[in-house]
Amino acid sequence: MVKFFFVPMLTLLVSIPAGFLLIGPLATFGSTLIAQGVMTVRNFSPMLAGALVGLTWQILVIFGLHWGFIPVYINNIMTNGYDNVMMPFFACTFATSAVVLAIFFKTKNRQLKEMALPNFISGIFGVTEPAIYGILLSLKKPFIISCIAGCIGGGFYGAFNFRKFMMGGMGIFEFPAMIEPDGGMGNLIVALAGVAITMVIVFAATMIFYKDDKKTAEKRRQEIVKRKADRWKLREHLRQYLKRRRHGPPCFIRRSFTVRSEEGC
């Protein structure tokens, strides 16, 4: 009883001050520093800045440091009418989606396959955290592949000055915000081309380089053996049941719980 009271209380007493006094300020300082560094790089090479954002975006998401780009993003849209500093991250959304889709087709692990398809669906709608935390971090190689593909897509976006003209929307719902204010479709074509390049690269690379590890393969083998044993047990139980029914006693118990005599059977 004492444990159930003191453990949550002590957890809050330690984590809340640490969050407000140490972790929060450090995260704010770090994210601001990263955003300023990307803008500095963009002044002499937009392609390099885009590649840098695409390469590191998923890592920044893991630590929450991507929030440092949000003030820059909002300020650019309000003052310039568009943002082109943060937007190379858009390639990472579809890189993450494509890598879990490739895993869905490549893996023989039933549990991993069941996780991959829902994570792909959430990813194309802009929510990539389930794929990152649920699949990619534990597998490592697909995570690295998605970061490299995001770097290539981000560099493409930086080179072609990819922009977003209004706030709102995530994933595929962001495409309308990429249509130019005068109705031009050039920026939207750049968006679609970047998504296609990124997804093709990451899907192909994952299909080539990803393999289920030995532990996963052994786990799958054990699952198959267990299912076969369960089927054999079920078949044996059914055989015994039918045998008892076939050679069972000739008499039975009535619903009134009276037993018929053998002469009347």
Side-chain angles (χ1 to χ4, degrees), residues 72-84:
V72 177
Y73 163 77
I74 296 173
N75 180 71
N76 285 343
I77 290 181
M78 298 302 295
T79 56
N80 301 330
Y82 60 86
D83 174 68
N84 55 3

Side-chain angles (χ1 to χ4, degrees), residues 72 82 107 122 125 143 170 184 193 211 213-214 250 254:
V72 177
Y82 60 86
T107 186
S122 66
F125 289 110
F143 181 74
M170 296 176 66
K211 295 180 180 178
D213 58 19
K214 294 181 179 179
R254 291 179 178 272

Side-chain angles (χ1 to χ4, degrees), residues 3 14 64 66 69 88 103 105 152 155 169 180 199 223 237 239:
K3 179 180 178 181
V14 173
H66 65 296
F69 286 91
I103 290 172
F105 288 109
I152 296 171
E180 298 171 27
M199 293 189 74
E223 289 176 353
H237 286 316
R239 189 181 66 82

Side-chain angles (χ1 to χ4, degrees), residues 160-177:
F160 285 88
N161 193 30
F162 173 56
R163 294 155 292 163
K164 184 178 179 182
F165 298 97
M166 64 180 72
M167 291 181 286
M170 296 176 66
I172 59 175
F173 295 118
E174 286 189 87
F175 284 118

Side-chain angles (χ1 to χ4, degrees), residues 26-43 49-50 52-53 56-57 60 64-76 83-86:
L26 284 176
T28 301
F29 174 76
S31 57
T32 303
L33 191 65
I34 291 170
Q36 291 176 346
V38 169
M39 288 189 292
T40 301
V41 173
R42 188 175 180 82
N43 289 334
L52 186 62
V53 171
T56 61
W57 185 260
L60 297 178
L65 297 176
H66 65 296
W67 288 102
F69 286 91
I70 303 300
V72 177
Y73 163 77
I74 296 173
N75 180 71
N76 285 343
D83 174 68
N84 55 3
V85 175
M86 189 185 81

Side-chain angles (χ1 to χ4, degrees), residues 50-51 54 88 91-92 148-159 194-195 197-198 201:
C92 300
I148 294 172
C151 175
I152 296 171
F156 173 83
Y157 282 149
V195 167
I197 292 170
T198 303
I201 291 173

